[in-house]
Amino acid sequence: MLKTTIKASLLAVMGICATAAVNADEYQASDKAQLLADKYLIVDTHIDVPYRIHNRWEDVARSTESGDFDYPRAVKGGLNVPFMAIYIPAEYEQTGGSIQLAHELIDSMEALVGRAPNKFALAYNTDEIAANTEQGLMSIAMGMENGTPMEGDLDNLHMFYERGVRYISLAHSQTNHISDSSYDIRKQWNGLSEFGFELVEAMNNVGMMVDVSHISDEAFYDVIETTKAPVIASHSSLRKFTPGFERNMSDDMLKKLAENGGVIQINFGSSFVAQQANRYRDVMKKRIEAVNQQFGEDSEEAKKRVAEIEANNPYPYATLEQVLDHIDHVKQLIGVEHIGIGSDYDGVGDSLPVGLKDVSTYPNLVQGLLDRNYSEKEIEMILGGNFMRVWKQVEEYSSERP
């Protein structure tokens, strides 16, 4: 069982009520939780391995000293289908070169499979997921984070579909030629651009899942009104727990997602999960700027006070319990059939919750669900069943097109 011996004391972080620190070893999945993690298909729809090894190469087919994913840890956690993010930084919209980077990242995943064909296999459809799993192989699927490589040309959509990309996050941290971004105060399109509407329809037709993570609220509603197939939020959490954070989904958006038949894949990053972590960097920045302004940025007094601020206000990591709170809320609001996992491993740096620090820890999530009286069927749905249903429906819509 989960050893939830969390101390009742609260860490005061800049006047924000932060959850008490919890040691990772205070979480211990039972044999039953491990059995369920091994028994049922686990699909994690957002893992940033491609960009991680593009910047600093490591052979993730073997144990690695850094990062959140490698094959041995993934096997320990029961992971079957890591969706590898073909991440294109927002600045490529202006600088160019996004298509080349996307191809390089896809190449790296093909190379990973080529180096370890006894461990991995590429998966381009739901049938291949089943076949690979039956053979004991981990399926490498791919989604594109930021649609900048479309470059306004639907031929690029078809090209990347042929290369194995099966979802596209329409934008990232800045507005692009497709959609406004949730992070960008400039609302160039007030939702989707004209090309964005065309792209959503084309993605439906080709069998590509539309990912609503990262886009603005207006763009989300544009997608919902346009799409003929269910959509995904590949790595998002709930605004209920992070008020004012547009990157997460509001309750009204969740209701629209349910009407669409889509799924929200819960992001594990602490800043997505807990308000104190979400506000931490902004509040710390303001406090440090105030000190620098008062004493002079390069003064010894300022350096001393900044060091004290940082030492006395450690990052307030979220906990597994708080991730489970997000899952509970979705279940209560729109139903368990709309919940999945989109951890953002290797994409959120050192900000993962206690108890969910890497791909070996999915059994901890299963244990938490058991402790909250989720049925075995519900756990199966959350781990991967709900997402596979959506993917299958997107495939079926495309196949039924004339």
Side-chain angles (χ1 to χ4, degrees):
M1 302 295 288
L2 283 176
K3 297 180 181 178
T4 54
T5 57
I6 303 173
K7 297 177 183 178
S9 59
L10 296 178
L11 176 66
V13 179
M14 306 147 303
I16 303 170
C17 191
T19 303
V22 184
N23 294 324
D25 60 7
E26 290 184 336
Y27 292 103
Q28 181 178 330
S30 65
D31 290 344
K32 180 177 181 180
Q34 184 67 58
L35 179 65
L36 295 181
D38 293 334
K39 177 180 179 180
Y40 293 121
L41 191 76
I42 298 181
V43 183
D44 189 328
T45 53
H46 201 89
I47 298 179
D48 277 288
V49 165
Y51 200 74
R52 164 191 159 195
I53 65 174
H54 183 74
N55 286 335
R56 183 178 178 273
W57 189 84
E58 292 181 293
D59 186 0
V60 296
R62 303 173 182 270
S63 295
T64 59
E65 295 183 359
S66 64
D68 308 324
F69 174 96
D70 60 39
Y71 180 78
R73 283 183 285 171
V75 170
K76 181 180 178 182
L79 180 61
N80 303 101
V81 187
F83 256 82
M84 298 301 190
I86 306 304
Y87 165 58
I88 309 299
E91 60 265 24
Y92 278 76
E93 182 77 14
Q94 285 74 43
T95 64
S98 64
I99 290 178
Q100 178 175 331
L101 176 59
H103 283 306
E104 290 173 357
L105 298 180
I106 294 169
D107 286 348
S108 73
M109 293 298 95
E110 293 177 345
L112 173 61
V113 172
R115 287 195 307 274
N118 60 325
K119 298 177 179 178
F120 300 108
L122 292 165
Y124 300 138
N125 56 57
T126 54
D127 289 341
E128 288 178 348
I129 297 292
N132 292 342
T133 304
E134 181 69 23
Q135 296 175 47
L137 298 172
M138 190 173 296
S139 291
I140 300 294
M142 291 179 284
M144 181 177 288
E145 185 177 21
N146 187 3
T148 284
M150 297 303 99
E151 294 192 350
D153 187 343
L154 294 179
D155 286 345
N156 291 329
L157 169 67
H158 294 277
M159 174 177 65
F160 284 114
Y161 181 86
E162 291 301 317
R163 291 225 59 192
V165 173
R166 287 300 177 267
Y167 75 71
I168 297 176
S169 315
L170 302 182
H172 192 251
S173 58
Q174 297 176 19
T175 293
N176 62 14
H177 69 284
I178 299 167
S179 173
D180 290 335
S181 165
S182 62
Y183 286 116
D184 198 336
I185 61 172
R186 302 168 299 164
K187 302 302 182 186
Q188 180 177 353
W189 310 111
N190 292 316
L192 296 180
S193 69
E194 182 177 347
F195 177 74
F197 284 103
E198 295 174 1
L199 180 63
V200 169
E201 293 181 359
M203 290 173 70
N204 284 171
N205 293 340
V206 78
M208 183 92 75
M209 287 173 279
V210 179
D211 179 17
V212 298
S213 292
H214 279 290
I215 62 176
S216 69
D217 288 8
E218 295 83 359
F220 167 82
Y221 290 112
D222 283 348
V223 168
I224 293 299
E225 291 177 4
T226 304
T227 185
K228 300 297 190 297
V231 303
I232 66 169
S234 70
H235 59 306
S236 295
S237 295
L238 309 187
R239 205 175 301 174
K240 171 181 171 62
F241 299 97
T242 57
F245 186 45
E246 189 176 343
R247 172 65 179 81
N248 275 346
M249 297 185 72
S250 69
D251 281 3
D252 184 70
M253 295 166 77
L254 290 172
K255 292 174 183 177
K256 293 295 184 183
L257 184 76
E259 292 174 8
N260 165 263
V263 288
I264 177 171
Q265 307 289 108
I266 298 298
N267 190 316
F268 293 171
S270 290
S271 65
F272 290 80
V273 172
Q275 178 73 337
Q276 64 269 23
N278 188 267
R279 294 177 57 193
Y280 176 83
R281 288 186 175 85
D282 286 342
V283 177
M284 283 287 283
K285 181 180 178 182
K286 290 178 182 178
R287 291 193 64 182
I288 291 171
E289 286 176 348
V291 168
N292 288 334
Q293 185 175 2
Q294 181 178 358
F295 297 101
E297 184 172 353
D298 296 325
S299 71
E300 290 303 316
E301 184 64 22
K303 293 177 182 177
K304 175 185 175 182
R305 290 177 180 253
V306 167
E308 290 174 351
I309 290 172
E310 293 174 342
N312 293 329
N313 297 282
Y315 184 75
Y317 290 103
T319 64
L320 170 56
E321 281 81 9
Q322 289 172 301
V323 174
L324 292 167
D325 289 343
H326 285 248
I327 292 174
D328 282 351
H329 184 68
V330 179
K331 178 183 176 180
Q332 292 161 8
L333 186 70
I334 60 173
V336 71
E337 63 269 26
H338 301 289
I339 310 169
I341 299 169
S343 65
D344 216 349
Y345 283 137
D346 281 323
V348 290
D350 181 27
S351 72
L352 290 159
V354 178
L356 291 172
K357 289 296 187 182
D358 63 26
V359 292
S360 71
T361 60
Y362 299 110
N364 289 349
L365 182 71
V366 174
Q367 184 64 61
L369 294 170
L370 288 170
D371 290 347
R372 295 196 181 197
N373 297 316
Y374 282 72
S375 70
E376 188 169 327
K377 179 60 179 177
E378 289 175 325
I379 291 171
E380 178 185 8
M381 293 165 70
I382 292 168
L383 293 181
N386 291 331
F387 174 80
M388 292 301 292
R389 167 187 58 80
V390 169
W391 190 0
K392 187 68 174 177
Q393 288 174 326
V394 171
E395 290 177 337
E396 290 173 348
Y397 178 83
S398 174
S399 67
E400 292 167 359
R401 301 294 297 166

